[in-house]
Amino acid sequence: MAYFDAASAAPLHPVARQALLASLDEGWADPARLYREGRKARLLLDAAREAVAEAVGCRADEVVFTSSGTRAVHSGVSGVLAGRRRVGRHLIVSSVEHSSVLHSAEAHEAAGGTVTRVPVDRSGAVDPSVYAAALREDTALACLQSANHEVGTVQPVAEVAEACRAAGVPLLVDAAQSLGWGPVAGDWSLLAASAHKWGGPSGVGLLVVRKGVRFAPQGPADERESGRAPGFENIPAIVAAAASLRAVRAEADAEAVRLRGLTDRIRARVPELVPDVEVVGEPERRLPGIVTFSCLYVDGEALLHELDREGFSVSSGSSCTSSTLTPSHVLRAMGVLSEGNVRVSLPPGTVSEEVDAFLEVLPRVVAGVREKLGAPSAAVVRQDDALVLDALGKLCPLPVIELAKVIGEVPVGGTVRVLADDAAARQDIPAWCEMRGQEYLGEEPAEQGTAYVVRRTG
Amino acid sequence: MAYFDAASAAPLHPVARQALLASLDEGWADPARLYREGRKARLLLDAAREAVAEAVGCRADEVVFTSSGTRAVHSGVSGVLAGRRRVGRHLIVSSVEHSSVLHSAEAHEAAGGTVTRVPVDRSGAVDPSVYAAALREDTALACLQSANHEVGTVQPVAEVAEACRAAGVPLLVDAAQSLGWGPVAGDWSLLAASAHKWGGPSGVGLLVVRKGVRFAPQGPADERESGRAPGFENIPAIVAAAASLRAVRAEADAEAVRLRGLTDRIRARVPELVPDVEVVGEPERRLPGIVTFSCLYVDGEALLHELDREGFSVSSGSSCTSSTLTPSHVLRAMGVLSEGNVRVSLPPGTVSEEVDAFLEVLPRVVAGVREKLGAPSAAVVRQDDALVLDALGKLCPLPVIELAKVIGEVPVGGTVRVLADDAAARQDIPAWCEMRGQEYLGEEPAEQGTAYVVRRTG
């Protein structure tokens, strides 16, 4: 049994647990009150703020404790957009941000603002020069994650921050995935993070707003947390968050080396052990604990289910519409296969034997799911000298499975038109072509669904 | 040493502590995930939701867990105002609501909406017929607290809910002060509450939205909590909140009788022990644990400080502008004295000896603060047959102290004009007249500050 989904939530660090327990008795009162219990609570809150500021590399009065990382992002984005409204209403985000950033961008568009979504390369990284080119006269705010939550790719934050600084545009960095590993380099203006990602408790997010950033908190007024995070402060959890951040940082360098060794092994071994698999994300500039791969001809939900039965907890950004999973906008933006997607994110302390066991189980599980999906017969017709594969009504991953079966019947240089009405085909057929060295010619509207045209090159 | 500020935050209930500890190990994972740890977290969350629904008297799918009571109010108000925008943009609140409701109303006004603030009587209660008269064709939402947080007065929620129901207007009840004592009676539509008020942990609020209420969550989209409370769920705290609500409810009836006895004693004894004091709030229809009184000629902050030195933690809604306290809009709306205000709110478990000790200490503390404030000489001049008392530049409670000193020089039937530029005088001079049986004739603009005119009647 192994929990390999630290990028969603890390188990509570022992130091967080101790700090939480210790402060339940000292930190429950209202820190705004003048009496003894209130002063004790205030001391704990102030000490936690100092500790977090030191770990982030900022001033204590720049740190606001929110109730989650999502709230930190929502408040940070809306506060700067309102504070800099005179400058303009243009917002820049990368196309692989966390949903909290992308949903903030959608809300901004719904309110009449404009948004540029900076694309990423096949590894999931933005190009700093492409990002810089998106900066405009009327840009109120730019957002970039420190590292991607689905594939682990580290973003060029320092370079982008420099371009933003030169343009006079504040950069908000979503550091949720990386803050436990170290401070964010570069001259950023705002930072958001979430304690439960580094082994702190649920219920604590961080919003850091550098002095000098124009910021107008949105929503009803509230005097807590410099007016930037309404509601009674959750001091025991805040104390636990601060204590565990210090603790994980003390172990971070050694643990990073160790986990990187384990994820390197997964990156190398999975393609050797499992046929038709693509490891995605930047191989070098990446977080230590995350490795992501996609398996052709597999339904992501079935794969998670079977891995769970074998005792492994992983997540998936599979776009298979036959499952209840949320399709991954990250994998789509990268243009890589999302079919049968698995994200392994190792919590600190993961031992080598757990990774060995996973690598032993994985090939059998993938083979089993593939076998269960079977080999449904496709209606293949020849039409004007081109093969037509009718996969209408078939859900991901079946269209790709059928394509793989008929490609051998296509003469080299000839084409096959895959008719499909499952939206996932739009992403997975081109990704399959890329993996198999076949040529993807594009899509055309068909009488029903869409025709995806593939030329056999070998 | 006694903590008498349960209305701000109650110490953690032992059951909350146990439940929190137990669920730290089971409830840290993402409840949206399909694997074992996620399913365990989901089970805990579902069970907590069922338990809370039972205590509130609603369906489980009507309960949303927020990060605080303030967030619950903000989201509840903004969600209904947006959802019923076609009906109109009129909002009704009572004038003695919690700041989270009043700040929501201010935000609504700033966005172009209209707000009616229903007045209260001298006991702090709204009149249901006055509230009902505020309902209009274009009323989108009405808000009323179940009981007041500063003076403990219980509001006629059931009657107001009936009037709202008849008018087709949803009623949001802020039940933060009362939910630990029992469910809210009447046919309300939304309810907000806060776990740390009933001995649950910080970081958990409740928002209940009855089926059928038009509700459009504001802010960026998020899939958590039916889209009504963004951010990762704080499951250990939610479990602790639900468990402690059940526990305090089991003890509520007996504890209510006991605490009511203690607060009855304070209500009766304080005017006997301390001269020039006014006990405020409804004497019968009130919460069991809250009693509030105001002491003439005393600065609220000095009083809190001295009580704290004696080991008693209380709060104050004193409007003295010489202190750092927030002036109480509740006491102002009631038209009662706010000078030297003290709110005693007893946590469950308070013992009789603690109340005895408080009653022993209080007269000495009040006398000490009064003595320290001294008897500054006022410039009294006779002008057109009326006494003029120049209290310009003097901060609360000095203008009232000086008035009390010169009233003996005013012939019965004659008037005194008190010149003052401290805003607190506007509330405290009429309140002093009410307490002393003198006639307050009103205020007039003066060359400097304001002239408050008082006729000596006896």
Side-chain angles (χ1 to χ4, degrees):
Chain A
M1 304 231 304
Y3 176 78
F4 286 170
D5 198 22
S8 282
L12 199 65
H13 193 283
V15 167
R17 193 188 174 90
Q18 283 165 20
L20 185 64
L21 286 188
S23 52
L24 284 176
D25 296 327
E26 299 279 303
W28 53 269
D30 184 345
R33 298 290 176 181
L34 305 173
Y35 44 68
R36 181 185 318 102
E37 294 85 353
R39 294 194 304 269
K40 278 190 192 171
R42 166 66 54 190
L43 283 176
L44 287 175
L45 181 59
D46 289 347
R49 202 183 307 278
E50 290 286 346
V52 163
E54 198 186 321
V56 168
C58 66
R59 294 163 45 147
D61 60 358
E62 294 172 334
V63 174
V64 169
F65 292 109
T66 66
S67 58
S68 66
T70 293
R71 280 286 189 195
V73 166
H74 290 181
S75 300
V77 171
S78 65
V80 176
L81 288 175
R84 286 175 46 86
R85 181 149 180 170
R86 282 192 194 172
V87 171
R89 302 196 67 194
H90 179 236
L91 169 69
I92 307 175
V93 300
S94 89
S95 55
V96 295
E97 296 296 318
H98 185 263
S99 59
S100 57
V101 174
L102 296 180
H103 287 151
S104 292
E106 285 156 20
H108 182 56
E109 281 178 317
T114 55
V115 177
T116 298
R117 292 170 180 81
V118 177
V120 294
D121 62 20
R122 229 182 127 75
S123 80
V126 302
D127 178 329
S129 63
V130 173
Y131 201 106
L135 289 160
R136 308 193 319 209
E137 280 285 304
D138 65 338
T139 303
L141 175 66
C143 299
L144 181 63
Q145 63 195 188
S146 55
N148 186 267
H149 51 298
E150 287 194 29
V151 297
T153 299
V154 169
Q155 302 291 356
V157 167
E159 295 91 318
V160 169
E162 205 180 315
C164 289
R165 189 62 67 171
V169 172
L171 177 70
L172 183 153
V173 178
D174 171 10
Q177 289 297 333
S178 76
L179 199 67
W181 296 111
V184 175
D187 197 7
W188 46 266
S189 296
L190 297 99
L191 180 144
S194 172
H196 76 101
K197 304 284 191 193
W198 70 62
S202 307
V204 182
L206 298 183
L207 172 61
V208 179
V209 183
R210 294 277 198 202
K211 289 288 152 202
V213 175
R214 281 194 180 276
F215 196 88
Q218 296 303 286
D222 192 270
E223 75 280 11
R224 310 259 171 198
E225 291 295 296
S226 340
R228 291 172 176 175
F232 195 81
E233 294 94 340
N234 188 352
I235 294 179
I238 288 170
V239 170
S244 55
L245 181 55
R246 287 171 74 113
V248 299
R249 280 291 187 79
E251 304 151 356
D253 287 350
E255 196 60 20
V257 171
R258 224 177 55 75
L259 290 190
R260 186 171 286 274
L262 296 178
T263 49
D264 276 343
R265 195 186 327 157
I266 297 173
R267 289 187 73 90
R269 291 292 288 150
V270 163
E272 295 167 6
L273 294 167
V274 180
D276 297 318
V277 77
E278 182 179 14
V279 177
V280 299
E282 163 64 38
E284 295 302 324
R285 275 176 60 94
R286 64 181 177 87
L287 292 172
I290 298 184
V291 52
T292 302
F293 52 88
S294 298
C295 309
L296 267 178
Y297 320 135
V298 168
D299 162 11
E301 182 164 347
L303 199 51
L304 292 205
H305 183 69
E306 291 304 318
L307 283 170
D308 177 51
R309 281 170 53 129
E310 299 280 349
F312 295 95
S313 301
V314 298
S315 82
S316 171
S318 185
S319 70
C320 280
T321 44
S322 55
S323 76
T324 59
L325 300 170
T326 310
S328 163
H329 65 275
V330 173
L331 301 177
R332 192 168 61 235
M334 292 165 64
V336 297
L337 187 75
S338 73
E339 198 171 280
N341 178 259
V342 171
R343 176 185 70 186
V344 173
S345 56
L346 308 178
T350 301
V351 295
S352 183
E353 288 73 17
E354 292 172 309
V355 170
D356 292 341
F358 177 75
L359 290 173
E360 196 187 315
V361 159
L362 183 70
R364 176 160 45 84
V365 164
V366 174
V369 173
R370 280 176 176 161
E371 200 181 319
K372 264 190 214 157
L373 279 172
S377 67
V380 181
V381 294
R382 187 163 292 272
Q383 202 182 51
D384 299 340
D385 209 33
L387 269 180
V388 174
L389 171 64
D390 181 0
L392 291 167
K394 294 194 167 145
L395 294 177
C396 163
L398 296 181
V400 168
I401 290 178
E402 313 236 325
L403 171 60
K405 281 183 187 158
V406 304
I407 196 74
E409 295 179 33
V410 180
V412 173
T415 59
V416 54
R417 292 163 58 85
V418 185
L419 297 176
D421 48 13
D422 180 356
R426 180 159 293 121
Q427 181 173 352
D428 288 340
I429 291 175
W432 177 88
C433 291
E434 175 88 21
M435 283 177 75
R436 303 312 244 170
Q438 307 296 350
E439 188 180 359
Y440 177 65
L441 297 177
E443 63 173 80
E444 297 163 5
E447 216 164 300
Q448 272 191 284
T450 303
Y452 300 91
V453 189
V454 175
R455 172 178 288 142
R456 180 172 176 195
T457 55
Chain B
M1 303 230 306
Y3 177 78
F4 286 170
D5 197 23
S8 283
L12 200 64
H13 193 283
V15 167
R17 192 189 174 92
Q18 283 165 21
L20 185 65
L21 286 189
S23 54
L24 284 176
D25 295 328
E26 299 279 302
W28 53 270
D30 185 345
R33 297 290 175 180
L34 305 173
Y35 44 68
R36 180 185 320 103
E37 294 84 353
R39 294 194 304 270
K40 278 188 193 172
R42 166 65 57 189
L43 283 175
L44 287 175
L45 181 58
D46 290 346
R49 202 183 306 278
E50 290 286 348
V52 164
E54 199 187 318
V56 169
C58 67
R59 295 164 43 149
D61 61 357
E62 294 172 334
V63 175
V64 169
F65 292 109
T66 65
S67 58
S68 66
T70 293
R71 279 287 191 196
V73 166
H74 291 181
S75 300
V77 171
S78 66
V80 176
L81 288 175
R84 285 175 47 84
R85 179 147 181 171
R86 283 192 194 172
V87 172
R89 303 196 66 193
H90 179 235
L91 168 69
I92 307 175
V93 301
S94 89
S95 55
V96 294
E97 297 295 318
H98 185 261
S99 61
S100 57
V101 174
L102 295 180
H103 287 152
S104 292
E106 286 156 20
H108 182 55
E109 282 178 316
T114 55
V115 177
T116 298
R117 292 169 180 83
V118 177
V120 293
D121 63 20
R122 231 183 125 76
S123 80
V126 301
D127 178 330
S129 63
V130 173
Y131 201 107
L135 289 161
R136 308 192 324 207
E137 280 284 305
D138 65 339
T139 304
L141 175 66
C143 299
L144 181 62
Q145 62 195 187
S146 56
N148 186 267
H149 51 297
E150 287 193 30
V151 297
T153 299
V154 169
Q155 303 291 355
V157 167
E159 294 92 318
V160 169
E162 205 181 314
C164 289
R165 188 64 65 172
V169 172
L171 177 69
L172 183 153
V173 178
D174 170 10
Q177 289 297 334
S178 76
L179 198 67
W181 296 111
V184 175
D187 197 8
W188 47 266
S189 297
L190 297 99
L191 181 145
S194 172
H196 76 99
K197 303 284 191 193
W198 70 65
S202 308
V204 182
L206 297 184
L207 172 62
V208 179
V209 184
R210 293 275 198 204
K211 289 288 153 202
V213 175
R214 282 194 178 274
F215 196 91
Q218 297 302 288
D222 193 88
E223 75 281 11
R224 310 262 170 196
E225 291 295 296
S226 339
R228 291 172 178 176
F232 195 80
E233 294 93 341
N234 188 352
I235 293 179
I238 287 170
V239 169
S244 55
L245 181 56
R246 288 171 74 113
V248 298
R249 280 289 187 80
E251 305 151 356
D253 288 349
E255 196 60 20
V257 170
R258 223 176 55 75
L259 289 191
R260 187 172 285 274
L262 296 177
T263 49
D264 276 342
R265 194 184 330 157
I266 297 173
R267 288 186 74 89
R269 291 291 287 150
V270 163
E272 296 167 5
L273 294 167
V274 179
D276 297 319
V277 77
E278 181 179 13
V279 177
V280 299
E282 163 64 39
E284 295 302 323
R285 276 176 60 93
R286 64 180 177 88
L287 292 172
I290 298 184
V291 51
T292 302
F293 53 87
S294 298
C295 308
L296 268 178
Y297 320 135
V298 167
D299 161 10
E301 182 165 347
L303 200 50
L304 292 204
H305 183 68
E306 291 304 317
L307 284 169
D308 177 52
R309 281 169 52 129
E310 298 281 348
F312 295 95
S313 300
V314 299
S315 82
S316 172
S318 185
S319 70
C320 281
T321 42
S322 55
S323 76
T324 60
L325 300 170
T326 311
S328 163
H329 64 277
V330 172
L331 302 177
R332 193 169 59 235
M334 292 165 64
V336 298
L337 187 75
S338 74
E339 200 171 280
N341 178 258
V342 171
R343 176 185 70 186
V344 173
S345 56
L346 308 178
T350 301
V351 295
S352 182
E353 288 72 19
E354 291 172 310
V355 169
D356 292 340
F358 177 73
L359 290 172
E360 195 188 317
V361 159
L362 183 70
R364 177 161 42 88
V365 165
V366 174
V369 173
R370 281 176 176 164
E371 200 182 318
K372 265 189 210 158
L373 279 172
S377 66
V380 181
V381 294
R382 187 162 293 271
Q383 201 180 53
D384 300 338
D385 209 35
L387 268 180
V388 174
L389 171 64
D390 181 0
L392 291 168
K394 294 194 167 146
L395 295 177
C396 164
L398 296 181
V400 168
I401 289 179
E402 313 238 325
L403 171 60
K405 282 184 187 158
V406 302
I407 196 72
E409 296 179 32
V410 180
V412 173
T415 59
V416 54
R417 294 163 56 86
V418 185
L419 297 176
D421 48 12
D422 181 355
R426 178 160 293 121
Q427 181 172 352
D428 288 339
I429 290 174
W432 178 87
C433 292
E434 176 87 23
M435 283 177 75
R436 303 311 242 171
Q438 306 296 350
E439 188 180 0
Y440 178 65
L441 296 177
E443 63 174 78
E444 298 162 4
E447 214 164 302
Q448 270 190 286
T450 303
Y452 299 92
V453 188
V454 175
R455 171 178 289 142
R456 182 173 174 193
T457 54

